[in-house]
Amino acid sequence: MYRQIGFVRRQAALTASPEPRYHGSANAISRMTENIAVWNTDREIELERQSKLLDIAVSRLKKAEREII
């Protein structure tokens, strides 16, 4: 399923402000952006792990059973 459907990453909605930022960091990222990046990374790793476990389980089936799946 992971290989057929793929992986949909979450994205943060960013809106550029027309106001110049004289004070503070100009390239700071929000906590929400950090959380989305961590979720994307963790989710991709988890899906790859599940895919490998599925391959192992399917490889233990008989040929006829694999063709059914």
Side-chain angles (χ1 to χ4, degrees):
M1 186 168 106
Y2 169 67
R3 286 176 248 161
Q4 291 177 357
I5 295 173
F7 174 61
V8 179
R9 289 187 162 89
R10 291 182 180 175
Q11 294 183 352
L14 303 175
T15 305
S17 173
E19 300 289 325
R21 295 188 66 177
Y22 297 113
H23 304 290
S25 57
N27 295 326
I29 60 172
S30 69
R31 188 71 161 153
M32 181 181 74
T33 305
E34 290 177 11
N35 291 339
I36 290 171
V38 169
W39 184 88
N40 286 340
T41 304
D42 290 346
R43 184 68 179 148
E44 188 170 1
I45 290 170
E46 178 63 22
L47 289 173
E48 287 178 16
R49 186 186 71 79
Q50 288 176 356
S51 177
K52 289 178 184 177
L53 289 174
L54 182 62
D55 285 342
I56 292 170
V58 170
S59 70
R60 294 180 180 173
L61 297 174
K62 296 176 184 174
K63 184 177 180 181
E65 292 171 331
R66 277 185 266 165
E67 290 177 2
I68 292 172
I69 293 176

